[in-house]
Amino acid sequence: MWKVYHKAGYPGWAILVPIYNLYVSVKIAGYSGWLLLLFFVPFVNIVVNIIISVGLAKRFDRGAGFGLGLAFLPFIFYPILAFSSASYSAVDNI
């Protein structure tokens, strides 16, 4: 995830800080920082994690299936995203 953060223009060390890394992930995905509060609600955090993962995948020009992979198999899909030629796009590609 360090390299993914770096590709998005955020410092890689942000992944090491517990709550701040969630905030940075929300910002990379293009959502408001207030969405972070929903991570603290049980069972809602699972849905929010899926939404953030799909949003993050779309910012790197990947599909919703790749976003689901980021949510459920992060140890496989984050390295794929980090070491591929995917580039971060701050503009929504809807």
Side-chain angles (χ1 to χ4, degrees):
M1 286 182 72
W2 186 296
K3 187 137 172 98
V4 173
Y5 278 29
H6 184 68
K7 278 185 173 184
Y10 287 90
W13 58 262
I15 192 62
L16 302 175
V17 182
I19 301 300
Y20 183 62
N21 65 5
L22 292 174
Y23 175 76
V24 172
S25 293
V26 168
K27 297 309 280 183
I28 290 173
Y31 295 106
S32 171
W34 289 102
L35 190 63
L36 176 68
L37 294 176
L38 293 177
F39 271 108
F40 299 108
V41 179
F43 300 110
V44 175
N45 59 0
I46 297 168
V47 176
V48 172
N49 184 31
I50 293 169
I51 291 170
I52 297 301
S53 297
V54 171
L56 193 128
K58 287 184 179 182
R59 290 295 179 135
F60 282 95
D61 296 327
R62 304 289 187 193
F66 195 87
L68 291 174
L70 286 173
F72 294 113
L73 296 170
F75 51 88
I76 294 173
F77 283 87
Y78 272 104
I80 291 172
L81 187 61
F83 297 110
S84 70
S85 63
S87 61
Y88 178 71
S89 173
V91 180
D92 286 332
N93 297 334
I94 297 175

